[in-house]
Amino acid sequence: MVTRILRDLVAIPSVSPLSNVPVINYALARLDPKLWRVRRFPYTDPAGTAKLNLVASTHASRRAQLALVCHTDTVPFDPAWANAIHPVIRNGKLYGRGSCDVKGYLACVLAAISQIQIARLKKPLAIVLTADEEIGCVGAKRLAKKNAVRARYLIVGEPTNLRPVRAGKGYGLAEIVVRGKEAHSAFPAEGRSAIFAAGRILARLEKISRKLATQKNRDFDPPYTTLNAGLIHGGTAKNIVPGECRVTVEWRPIPGPNPAWAADLIREALTGFDATLDVKRIDPPFEPAAHRNLSRLMESLSGNRSTTVSFGTEAAHIGMHGEETIVFGPGDMTVAHKTGEFVPVAELHRCVTYLKTVIEKLCY
Ligand SMILES: [Zn+2]
């Protein structure tokens, strides 16, 4: 059952630029309209494509006991990868784009609820499906703004090898624009090199990364906020003193200190330069809950100890108002976003059992 659902889901192309409505419709077709109350949150993306967030609940109450959250988009794939949307099972693994990130979890959710007597649930169960996660948790942020997801416990699907994840780093992205003055390179005194200035700024960025590393959170590996200058673009020709240089900087803040701390330090480091910092994104960290009821339950079911992750998830956006949120799902994040992405079939079956048990324990 779960593999059939997953094959169907992989066969529906849902890379982020496409509409996610076909995936939502597939999921909706598996929810009995007599048992589920559905709230739709449509929007149009900047390219004019119809996108849809959906919250389905078994009760009229807006606050669920348990919410199962899953994004419906995938990253793009190489058109030469024949199995990207023509899934195959080989050696106990189901291959296809999204099989691991994160249609595998969605298939498990749909399979689990089909094995449960929904009418018997005493406490509300919700299914939350989001759009545009892979391009910056856009759908989840929209739901958060509307306060549309309220739940005591949340399980956000991402490939974690069935290991409960109870906290995650945030994400920051910014561009430093360094301005100089163009001149013929034979007469450098006539100009001012933006690249030389950028070089001095880079040395300061390295110092900042060491300062960020002094604030530790031992739950993480590495146990501090990391900083990366991943892109640099400057100059127009070898014989022109460069008039501009741009450096793209990314940081992953640990829970605890202000997630904008790195941005504050960078801005400070730019004083004295003709340079500006354009902060493009600051996603807060996924803060760990005060208690661990849900993560302990998932630990005992899966036999896996809970952990933390250094990548961003929707948990940071829609998981912070309940009592406890975990990230959980079949598959391994290191095979996601690659040609040949797969999920082990055995993990799918185990995940269905765990979700069924969690729903019964928390909602019956
Ligand atoms: Zn994902």
Side-chain angles (χ1 to χ4, degrees), residues 71 101 133-134 158:
H71 66 85
D101 187 6
E133 187 269 352
E134 298 288 3
E158 282 298 339

Side-chain angles (χ1 to χ4, degrees), residues 9 14-16 20 23-24 52-53 68-75 97-98 100-107 109 127-135 137-140 143 155-159 311-315 318 327 333 336-337 341:
L9 286 169
S14 59
V15 295
S16 309
N20 68 323
V23 176
I24 300 263
L52 184 60
N53 289 316
L68 305 173
V69 181
C70 193
H71 66 85
T72 54
D73 60 324
T74 72
V75 291
R97 173 53 84 232
C100 170
D101 187 6
V102 72
K103 288 175 171 175
Y105 175 76
L106 179 53
V109 169
I127 294 175
V128 179
L129 302 179
T130 63
D132 290 334
E133 187 269 352
E134 298 288 3
I135 53 171
C137 297
V138 177
L143 283 178
I155 304 178
V156 177
E158 282 298 339
F311 53 83
T313 66
E314 293 178 314
I318 44 181
V327 177
M333 196 47 121
H337 298 206
E341 172 180 351

Side-chain angles (χ1 to χ4, degrees), residues 167-170 216-217 220 225 252-258 285-288 309:
K169 286 186 180 179
K216 300 265 198 298
N217 184 327
F220 287 88
T225 297
R252 290 164 192 270
I254 50 172
N258 167 14
F286 161 29
E287 303 273 349
V309 288

Side-chain angles (χ1 to χ4, degrees), residues 113-310:
I113 58 162
S114 74
Q115 295 172 26
I116 278 172
Q117 286 180 276
I118 298 295
R120 275 189 57 203
L121 297 182
K122 287 198 184 70
K123 294 175 189 163
L125 169 68
I127 294 175
V128 179
L129 302 179
T130 63
D132 290 334
E133 187 269 352
E134 298 288 3
I135 53 171
C137 297
V138 177
K141 286 176 187 169
R142 293 183 74 99
L143 283 178
K145 223 183 229 167
K146 292 198 154 77
N147 198 16
V149 183
R150 271 175 280 165
R152 185 169 181 193
Y153 298 109
L154 293 96
I155 304 178
V156 177
E158 282 298 339
T160 70
N161 300 102
L162 300 179
R163 193 181 263 270
V165 168
R166 59 189 148 71
K169 286 186 180 179
Y171 187 79
L173 179 68
E175 189 177 51
I176 300 169
V177 182
V178 190
R179 280 171 297 272
K181 190 176 163 229
E182 285 200 341
H184 192 297
S185 63
F187 308 101
E190 305 280 301
R192 207 175 61 249
S193 168
I195 290 184
F196 282 159
R200 295 196 295 277
I201 291 170
L202 288 175
R204 293 185 176 190
L205 291 182
E206 233 183 323
K207 252 193 187 157
I208 290 172
S209 72
R210 286 196 292 274
K211 183 162 188 179
L212 292 171
T214 59
Q215 288 253 12
K216 300 265 198 298
N217 184 327
R218 296 286 172 201
D219 280 343
F220 287 88
D221 176 25
Y224 48 81
T225 297
T226 55
L227 178 79
N228 185 44
L231 290 168
I232 183 160
H233 286 290
T236 48
K238 65 184 187 306
N239 53 1
I240 298 174
V241 173
E244 192 185 86
C245 185
R246 289 167 178 262
V247 182
T248 300
V249 191
E250 180 210 74
W251 63 93
R252 290 164 192 270
I254 50 172
N258 167 14
W261 188 34
D264 297 342
L265 292 175
I266 296 168
R267 213 172 276 119
E268 227 176 275
L270 297 183
T271 28
F273 290 92
D274 185 4
T276 46
L277 180 71
D278 177 16
V279 175
K280 296 182 183 299
R281 204 168 131 189
I282 294 187
D283 290 348
F286 161 29
E287 303 273 349
H291 65 71
R292 293 191 184 176
N293 295 345
L294 180 59
S295 52
R296 293 232 162 88
L297 174 57
M298 292 310 274
E299 280 180 348
S300 71
L301 287 173
S302 66
N304 294 325
R305 283 195 59 182
S306 63
T307 185
T308 62
V309 288
S310 293

